[in-house]
Amino acid sequence: MNDKLRTDAVRHLFEAVLTLKDEEECFAFFEDLCTINELLSLSQRYEVAKMLRNKNTYLEIADKTGASTATISRVNRSLNYGNDGYDMVFARLPEKDREWPDDEDEPKEKPEHHSRSRREQD
């Protein structure tokens, strides 16, 4: 694990996350903590990881998630050479939650990156 991440501030954040009891509390906390685009970017990477583990091609993943091939490559590198964090979580989820849904009606949401500060966005 990267020693640069092991700061008191990061530990405090993780302790706070571990206190969350349900999905609604997660929505409330993360909506306060992150910008919409930050949260969409994180969730997009997670969906990319699920699709990579399900043996989807880069083209399929890019089409379904709107992720760039650079993002897909970074997630793939984490899956293959990272700290096994994705796989740890996947192993704890029910099988149905490890797969990409076949719901074609859901719109692709590609996070936009803005250079404005969070205060300017709010």
Side-chain angles (χ1 to χ4, degrees):
M1 175 138 328
N2 190 334
D3 286 338
K4 290 180 183 178
L5 288 177
R6 292 186 177 272
T7 66
D8 286 342
V10 172
R11 280 189 180 90
H12 295 157
L13 173 62
F14 292 166
E15 287 170 6
V17 169
L18 290 169
T19 68
L20 301 173
K21 293 181 176 78
D22 58 29
E23 187 177 90
E24 283 306 311
E25 287 187 2
C26 287
F27 272 106
F29 180 72
F30 282 98
E31 192 171 340
D32 285 349
L33 180 67
C34 301
T35 65
I36 292 171
N37 287 329
E38 288 168 338
L39 198 48
L40 290 176
S41 291
L42 291 171
S43 63
Q44 181 186 64
R45 285 184 218 137
Y46 181 73
E47 295 302 324
V48 166
K50 287 195 313 188
M51 292 183 76
L52 285 166
R53 276 296 178 249
N54 289 323
K55 307 291 187 213
N56 292 91
T57 67
Y58 276 38
L59 186 58
E60 291 168 331
I61 296 168
D63 184 53
K64 290 269 191 184
T65 67
S68 69
T69 55
T71 295
I72 297 167
S73 292
R74 279 193 298 275
V75 172
N76 194 44
R77 188 170 44 250
S78 291
L79 283 169
N80 292 318
Y81 305 107
N83 296 300
D84 298 321
Y86 284 114
D87 288 326
M88 176 181 54
V89 169
F90 295 155
R92 293 177 183 171
L93 290 172
E95 185 71 32
K96 67 177 180 59
D97 293 332
R98 293 185 219 162
E99 296 180 9
W100 183 262
D102 288 331
D103 188 359
E104 294 293 329
D105 295 334
E106 282 197 29
K108 291 183 276 191
E109 294 190 39
K110 185 173 183 180
E112 297 175 24
H113 297 283
H114 299 287
S115 59
R116 297 184 312 162
S117 73
R118 180 149 192 241
R119 288 179 199 250
E120 292 172 325
Q121 291 178 10
D122 294 338

